[in-house]
Amino acid sequence: MFHDFKLTDDRPVAVQVKDHMKRLIIKGALQADQKLPSTRELSLLLNVSRNAIIAAYEGLEDDGLSYTVRGKGSYVAAISGGGSTTAPSWQPDWHARTNGHAKSAVKLDRMKRGILAERGTISFTSIAPDEKLFDLDNVRRAFLDRMAIEGNVLLNYGYAKGYKPLIDYLLRYMDHKGVNIKGKDMLITNGFTEGLDMVLSALRRPDGAVLCENPTHNTALKLLKLHGFEVKGIPMERDGIDLHELDRALAERTYDCAYFVPSYHNPTGIVTSPEKRLALMKRMAERRIPIIEDGFNEELRYSGSHVAPLMATAGDGNGVIYLGSFSKVLFPGLRVGWVLADRELIDYLESIKRARTIHTSTLDQSLLYQYLHNGNLEKYLKKARAEYKRKYEWTKQCIEAHVPYVRMTGDGGLHLFVAFEEGFDTRELLAACSRQGVIFTPGEMFYTGEGEGRHTMRIGFSRVNDEEIGKGIRIIGETAKQLTN
Amino acid sequence: MFHDFKLTDDRPVAVQVKDHMKRLIIKGALQADQKLPSTRELSLLLNVSRNAIIAAYEGLEDDGLSYTVRGKGSYVAAISGGGSTTAPSWQPDWHARTNGHAKSAVKLDRMKRGILAERGTISFTSIAPDEKLFDLDNVRRAFLDRMAIEGNVLLNYGYAKGYKPLIDYLLRYMDHKGVNIKGKDMLITNGFTEGLDMVLSALRRPDGAVLCENPTHNTALKLLKLHGFEVKGIPMERDGIDLHELDRALAERTYDCAYFVPSYHNPTGIVTSPEKRLALMKRMAERRIPIIEDGFNEELRYSGSHVAPLMATAGDGNGVIYLGSFSKVLFPGLRVGWVLADRELIDYLESIKRARTIHTSTLDQSLLYQYLHNGNLEKYLKKARAEYKRKYEWTKQCIEAHVPYVRMTGDGGLHLFVAFEEGFDTRELLAACSRQGVIFTPGEMFYTGEGEGRHTMRIGFSRVNDEEIGKGIRIIGETAKQLTN
């Protein structure tokens, strides 16, 4: 049994020896009160230094797995559980024991049924940031700076609402976007997704309904459905939501809330015009419908004039719940987002947050804070905007040259949205393209109605290099032409 | 308006100038097409270098807030939203708009109604680790090691199930605890709390009931109630759950699942005996009741022989769902826990996880992984066990000397549980002690029934120093004696 031992990697040798012996004891290969080999013997058997064996034996004794008899050596302790003393084993049928919520979560989980990209595939499916832009030195610097200031604090429990310096920074940040923060408060969340999930948890009502753009952000759509809302999608025009259709929907029934992505709409990339923003706000205020505003990629606007968030046009009213995140702008691996809303609502959300995840990683929050505080955001955005703008223009140019599209939208960000003629099926296109090593996101998943948007696709270009953009779009275009002929 | 400008902290000057100007534009103090001061003028006005002004103006233009007229200078761009163009403002009544879930979350949120400890208070309420034990150098080392290996990966999106190297490490870790990992899988969560919340989300049924120890972990109790389970608490004896009471409860009705903390029960600190573990497992298997096993502080056992988790006694059966975390052992600020369970159940939980928080912070996961991989856990545990053991013995000694208790339990960990005579009210004791600068946790919140456990209290000693332990326990004891006379 000692011959199974292999030094596998660069973990300390003593730890590996201890783990090996522990396993033998727990699995019952070494029995209670059996004498262990002397440290000298085991050192020879395992071809490991005697010091490592001595440290390993000490560790075993600390764990209550062995005991020492003075002048005789180490013996295996009597242990409970494990190989020798097992309870009756049985196998639950989890399909029968899990509820509708669990089953809906799987059903709505597109990632589980996505096409697996093989190595070398040109993938336009991602709208995550380009890793090559990450300024790792500044991240490292921010970590070391913050650890030096309050390392102990960062590693212990924090507050459910979030890390105070980050909250203060983000409140000022929102103030600079023109938002009146009077009467409002902020909760830090594990990214945008947790923020939306908690807001919906607090507002969900049996048979509630929600308004949104159609198409819309697929993660949001999934959550709205998981929470049991009836989802009413309003078609998008070139400058934002179709107000005529909105009025029709408003005449039909009442809504618990509305979910809008006004600044860089996902998937269409449309920036809602100032006029439509005002018209939208007026209608929502008249009907007393709270708005959940998804601040998605506001920061990555790289053309056109400044557009303030919907929340900034609400004055001191508190009918807008703003969800922010730097995930697509900076680092998605740091799961940090924020909810800015009426103080009273944040008070509810804080309790929900505490019940579910206690608080967001203090390390993530403090690292992000220090990175921002060190003034890195401006520099990073300058670099990122220039790079994404270049890619955006190149992708657009390629699509114009090769793809037989009917409509293309996207005023910036990390993606473009392409519509073919009605009747065209982008899932067929995807199947044909993936055989040639190119994949993209069929638009259907962004639509609120069954079977809608089959003639559309989203092209995310952030993580594809110029050469592959050219090659990939050409393949999509040529394949689409073949399918339309 | 330029005289308001003050250089407030160590953020880059250009960023501060830009933020100040941005605010003036967005708030409407500077109007569209108004000429901005020349860089030379503003440099004099703000008493800031001209280079900083030039950089700030470039930033404004990048953000679409200004434009340049060649040979003339910078002008304010027309912007939408903000101070000048506001929509009608309104104020939702969030109390009326939030649902029962939100209200229960607030009602069950004890943190919101806890006693605020003033500076200098001796607080026995915490069972968080002692920050002074944190080995910051090893944490720093782990961060830098991992950043050097794959910094880009750590900052971008990861997988819902978790960071692969950490999963592999923890699977081996659980294997070394004697668990048969065949047919099982692992999901990384934002600490224990998210793990339990997601498991309950998947198993929750209308009118479902759950078995647990009584008293039990207050966070778990809160979540069980929030999910709408009927909670059946089984009294604790010195060596674990009262089997006679368990049999009575099992005869009464069916249960969806059971929640047990066998290894260091919170709040009583009892380690369930090997015999009771087997008896418990047999009963649950007979009735086909899945067990949620809370591995709370298994690692902080510092006396007695090795005890395997319940899961290790289940052989290849998959009726146990194990929830693990290093939060109380290592660093709570890193929100990392894990669920080890049947592969089929993990598949459901993975989709729920993806819907709610996408994935746990890659930075937290990879830092923890590297810290463990570097072999720090063993060293840290050795130090922590020695320190906590010393404090434990000292606290116990103080309680024995000063407190008129009827029963005291706690075989290790970070806390002791004390019961006075029935009829004694520890909330009264707390009120009297807090006036003398000493606080603790009244036991009532850990009990499943209304008004139960009023004669009990939990004394957490991990973050209190020796002198304060002595002083604090003496005050508690003397005050208790006064109240019983």
Side-chain angles (χ1 to χ4, degrees):
Chain A
M1 61 182 114
F2 301 115
H3 300 293
D4 299 348
F5 181 75
K6 278 196 189 66
L7 280 172
T8 47
D9 49 21
D10 52 342
R11 289 190 309 146
V13 175
V15 172
Q16 293 188 57
V17 173
K18 184 194 149 191
D19 277 354
H20 185 74
M21 299 300 286
K22 183 174 177 183
R23 202 162 184 280
L24 293 174
I25 295 169
I26 285 178
K27 298 281 174 183
L30 289 168
Q31 295 281 328
D33 303 320
Q34 185 176 340
K35 187 172 182 306
L36 291 173
S38 73
T39 51
R40 188 187 300 270
E41 281 167 349
L42 195 59
S43 161
L44 290 170
L45 276 167
L46 301 185
N47 193 23
V48 147
S49 84
R50 202 167 155 205
N51 281 341
I53 305 289
I54 291 170
Y57 274 19
E58 274 177 24
L60 288 176
E61 195 160 341
D62 282 351
D63 283 0
L65 290 164
S66 69
Y67 59 93
T68 308
V69 178
R70 216 156 155 176
K72 289 196 156 185
S74 289
Y75 290 77
V76 177
I79 59 162
S80 74
S84 44
T85 50
T86 54
S89 101
W90 67 288
Q91 183 65 44
D93 173 0
W94 292 112
H95 183 76
R97 284 173 183 271
T98 47
N99 54 24
H101 176 76
K103 290 184 180 67
S104 297
V106 171
K107 196 174 148 232
L108 293 166
D109 188 357
R110 299 235 171 210
M111 289 289 276
K112 283 218 169 121
R113 286 164 290 121
I115 289 188
L116 276 177
E118 280 172 38
R119 224 183 158 74
T121 300
I122 300 174
S123 171
F124 295 105
T125 58
S126 175
I127 56 167
D130 182 359
E131 295 170 358
K132 288 195 277 304
L133 290 170
F134 292 166
D135 48 343
L136 293 183
D137 284 344
N138 292 330
V139 172
R140 227 178 260 121
R141 181 78 264 143
F143 174 82
L144 294 173
D145 284 355
R146 208 67 213 161
M147 281 295 279
I149 296 168
E150 47 173 1
N152 288 324
V153 172
L154 306 187
L155 296 178
N156 219 326
Y157 279 114
Y159 297 99
K161 259 174 59 174
Y163 181 63
K164 186 75 168 46
L166 181 64
I167 290 178
D168 290 343
Y169 183 97
L170 291 173
L171 281 173
R172 198 172 55 194
Y173 184 77
M174 294 306 292
D175 174 72
H176 286 161
K177 283 178 185 260
V179 172
N180 182 339
I181 61 170
K182 210 184 107 203
K184 296 188 179 68
D185 204 350
M186 188 177 279
L187 176 76
I188 305 290
T189 57
N190 294 321
F192 158 83
T193 309
E194 192 191 38
L196 181 60
D197 187 47
M198 292 197 301
V199 168
L200 297 179
S201 286
L203 301 183
R204 172 190 59 211
R205 294 185 196 183
D207 309 314
V210 61
L211 281 170
C212 67
E213 292 128 343
N214 190 27
T216 192
H217 181 25
N218 55 318
T219 295
L221 200 51
K222 175 168 78 174
L223 278 173
L224 291 170
K225 287 178 182 171
L226 257 182
H227 281 279
F229 282 104
E230 190 188 313
V231 180
K232 179 68 184 176
I234 311 294
M236 287 293 278
E237 297 181 315
R238 195 63 195 77
D239 61 346
I241 210 166
D242 181 330
L243 291 173
H244 181 68
E245 290 292 331
L246 176 63
D247 286 334
R248 276 176 45 167
L250 288 171
E252 258 172 35
R253 62 161 298 166
T254 60
Y255 299 89
D256 288 348
C257 57
Y259 165 76
F260 294 127
V261 195
S263 295
Y264 264 111
H265 183 251
N266 184 4
T268 66
I270 289 170
V271 180
T272 299
S273 71
E275 298 71 32
K276 282 221 164 155
R277 283 169 188 252
L278 269 187
L280 194 60
M281 290 296 287
K282 274 182 192 144
R283 280 163 173 82
M284 296 299 113
E286 273 163 27
R287 306 274 176 158
R288 299 281 188 258
I289 301 174
I291 294 173
I292 301 168
E293 176 175 19
D294 180 348
F296 184 69
N297 278 2
E298 265 170 23
E299 284 72 15
L300 282 187
R301 190 192 44 68
Y302 40 72
S303 58
S305 64
H306 174 85
V307 182
L310 291 179
M311 192 179 231
T313 68
D316 58 4
N318 276 336
V320 180
I321 303 159
Y322 183 93
L323 301 179
S325 159
F326 289 131
S327 286
K328 296 290 188 305
V329 181
L330 290 170
F331 315 119
L334 302 182
R335 303 300 307 140
V336 179
W338 65 92
V339 186
L340 179 64
D342 188 279
R343 194 174 282 163
E344 193 190 343
L345 180 62
I346 293 293
D347 193 59
Y348 287 109
L349 297 178
E350 182 194 357
S351 288
I352 293 176
K353 170 78 183 170
R354 189 176 282 119
R356 290 191 183 177
T357 55
I358 305 187
H359 64 75
T360 294
S361 160
T362 316
L363 187 69
D364 281 18
Q365 292 184 75
S366 61
L367 175 56
L368 179 60
Y369 164 70
Q370 190 69 42
Y371 177 91
L372 295 168
H373 179 82
N374 289 355
N376 294 307
L377 179 63
E378 293 279 321
K379 278 183 284 175
Y380 181 84
L381 277 182
K382 205 174 169 69
K383 188 174 68 170
R385 280 177 188 161
E387 173 66 5
Y388 291 139
K389 188 177 183 191
R390 203 181 48 69
K391 277 194 183 177
Y392 162 79
E393 277 161 4
W394 170 233
T395 311
K396 208 171 151 192
Q397 194 182 322
C398 291
I399 293 174
E400 280 164 353
H402 300 292
V403 179
Y405 67 90
V406 171
R407 201 178 64 242
M408 169 161 55
T409 53
D411 297 326
L414 308 166
H415 56 86
L416 284 155
F417 197 65
V418 175
F420 294 91
E421 281 187 12
E422 290 275 354
F424 188 91
D425 191 336
T426 52
R427 292 170 311 170
E428 264 180 56
L429 178 63
L430 175 61
C433 287
S434 77
R435 283 192 294 268
Q436 301 167 75
V438 181
I439 61 175
F440 56 82
T441 309
E444 186 194 6
M445 71 160 75
F446 302 103
Y447 282 81
T448 56
E450 201 64 49
E452 280 183 283
R454 288 210 174 141
H455 61 304
T456 64
M457 64 177 179
R458 189 183 71 182
I459 298 288
F461 50 76
S462 52
R463 298 180 76 178
V464 193
N465 70 36
D466 289 8
E467 192 192 327
E468 289 182 341
I469 289 175
K471 187 177 164 200
I473 298 294
R474 207 175 51 245
I475 288 174
I476 293 173
E478 281 163 10
T479 313
K481 282 175 196 157
Q482 282 163 22
L483 287 175
T484 42
N485 287 338
Chain B
M1 61 184 113
F2 300 114
H3 301 293
D4 301 347
F5 180 76
K6 280 196 186 66
L7 280 172
T8 48
D9 49 20
D10 52 344
R11 288 190 309 145
V13 174
V15 172
Q16 293 189 56
V17 172
K18 185 194 148 190
D19 277 354
H20 185 74
M21 298 301 288
K22 182 175 177 180
R23 204 162 183 281
L24 293 174
I25 295 170
I26 284 178
K27 299 279 175 186
L30 288 168
Q31 296 281 328
D33 303 320
Q34 185 175 338
K35 187 171 183 308
L36 291 172
S38 74
T39 52
R40 186 187 302 270
E41 281 166 351
L42 195 59
S43 162
L44 291 170
L45 276 167
L46 301 186
N47 193 23
V48 147
S49 84
R50 202 165 155 209
N51 279 344
I53 307 289
I54 291 170
Y57 274 20
E58 275 179 22
L60 288 176
E61 194 160 340
D62 281 352
D63 284 0
L65 290 163
S66 69
Y67 60 93
T68 308
V69 178
R70 219 160 153 170
K72 289 195 154 182
S74 288
Y75 290 78
V76 177
I79 60 161
S80 74
S84 44
T85 49
T86 56
S89 101
W90 67 288
Q91 183 65 47
D93 172 1
W94 292 112
H95 183 75
R97 285 172 182 271
T98 47
N99 54 25
H101 176 77
K103 289 181 180 68
S104 298
V106 171
K107 196 174 148 230
L108 293 166
D109 188 358
R110 301 230 171 215
M111 289 289 276
K112 283 220 169 116
R113 284 163 291 121
I115 289 188
L116 275 178
E118 280 172 41
R119 226 183 155 74
T121 300
I122 300 174
S123 172
F124 295 105
T125 58
S126 176
I127 56 168
D130 182 359
E131 294 170 358
K132 288 195 277 305
L133 291 170
F134 291 167
D135 48 343
L136 293 183
D137 284 344
N138 291 330
V139 171
R140 226 179 262 121
R141 183 77 262 144
F143 174 83
L144 293 173
D145 284 355
R146 209 65 213 160
M147 281 295 279
I149 295 168
E150 47 174 1
N152 288 324
V153 172
L154 307 186
L155 297 178
N156 219 326
Y157 279 114
Y159 296 99
K161 259 173 59 173
Y163 180 63
K164 188 72 168 43
L166 181 64
I167 291 178
D168 290 344
Y169 184 97
L170 291 173
L171 281 173
R172 199 172 54 194
Y173 184 77
M174 295 304 293
D175 174 72
H176 287 160
K177 282 178 185 261
V179 171
N180 182 340
I181 60 170
K182 210 185 109 203
K184 296 189 179 68
D185 204 350
M186 187 175 280
L187 176 77
I188 305 290
T189 57
N190 294 322
F192 158 82
T193 309
E194 191 190 37
L196 180 59
D197 187 47
M198 291 197 301
V199 169
L200 297 179
S201 286
L203 302 183
R204 172 190 61 209
R205 294 184 196 184
D207 310 315
V210 62
L211 282 170
C212 66
E213 290 129 344
N214 189 28
T216 192
H217 182 24
N218 55 318
T219 295
L221 201 50
K222 175 168 79 172
L223 278 174
L224 291 170
K225 287 177 182 172
L226 258 180
H227 281 279
F229 282 104
E230 190 188 312
V231 181
K232 178 70 184 175
I234 311 294
M236 286 294 279
E237 298 180 315
R238 195 62 195 77
D239 61 345
I241 210 166
D242 181 332
L243 291 174
H244 181 68
E245 289 294 330
L246 176 63
D247 286 333
R248 276 177 42 168
L250 288 172
E252 257 171 37
R253 62 161 298 168
T254 59
Y255 299 89
D256 288 348
C257 56
Y259 166 76
F260 294 129
V261 195
S263 295
Y264 262 110
H265 182 251
N266 185 3
T268 67
I270 289 169
V271 181
T272 299
S273 70
E275 297 71 32
K276 281 221 164 155
R277 284 169 187 251
L278 270 187
L280 194 60
M281 290 296 286
K282 275 184 190 144
R283 280 161 173 81
M284 295 299 113
E286 273 162 27
R287 305 274 177 159
R288 298 282 187 258
I289 301 173
I291 293 173
I292 302 169
E293 176 174 20
D294 180 347
F296 183 70
N297 278 1
E298 264 171 25
E299 284 73 15
L300 282 186
R301 190 191 44 68
Y302 42 70
S303 59
S305 65
H306 174 85
V307 182
L310 291 179
M311 193 180 230
T313 68
D316 58 3
N318 277 335
V320 180
I321 303 161
Y322 184 93
L323 300 179
S325 159
F326 289 132
S327 286
K328 296 290 188 306
V329 181
L330 291 172
F331 316 117
L334 301 183
R335 305 299 307 141
V336 179
W338 67 91
V339 186
L340 179 63
D342 189 280
R343 195 173 282 164
E344 193 188 342
L345 179 63
I346 293 293
D347 192 59
Y348 286 108
L349 298 177
E350 182 194 358
S351 288
I352 293 176
K353 171 78 183 170
R354 190 176 283 118
R356 290 192 183 177
T357 56
I358 305 188
H359 63 74
T360 295
S361 159
T362 316
L363 187 68
D364 281 19
Q365 292 185 73
S366 60
L367 175 55
L368 179 61
Y369 164 71
Q370 190 69 42
Y371 178 90
L372 295 168
H373 180 82
N374 290 354
N376 294 307
L377 179 62
E378 294 279 322
K379 279 182 283 176
Y380 182 84
L381 278 181
K382 206 175 168 70
K383 187 174 69 170
R385 280 177 189 161
E387 173 67 5
Y388 290 139
K389 187 175 184 191
R390 203 183 47 68
K391 278 194 183 176
Y392 162 80
E393 277 162 4
W394 170 232
T395 310
K396 207 171 151 192
Q397 195 182 323
C398 292
I399 292 174
E400 281 163 354
H402 300 292
V403 180
Y405 67 90
V406 170
R407 200 179 65 242
M408 169 161 56
T409 53
D411 297 325
L414 309 166
H415 56 87
L416 284 155
F417 196 66
V418 174
F420 295 92
E421 280 185 14
E422 290 277 353
F424 188 90
D425 191 337
T426 51
R427 292 170 311 171
E428 266 180 55
L429 177 63
L430 176 61
C433 288
S434 77
R435 284 192 294 269
Q436 300 167 76
V438 180
I439 61 174
F440 56 82
T441 308
E444 187 195 7
M445 72 161 76
F446 302 103
Y447 282 82
T448 56
E450 202 64 48
E452 280 184 285
R454 288 210 175 140
H455 61 304
T456 64
M457 64 177 177
R458 190 184 70 182
I459 298 288
F461 50 75
S462 53
R463 298 179 76 176
V464 193
N465 69 36
D466 289 8
E467 193 192 326
E468 289 182 342
I469 288 174
K471 188 178 163 200
I473 297 294
R474 208 174 52 244
I475 289 173
I476 292 173
E478 281 162 9
T479 313
K481 282 174 195 154
Q482 283 162 22
L483 287 176
T484 42
N485 289 338

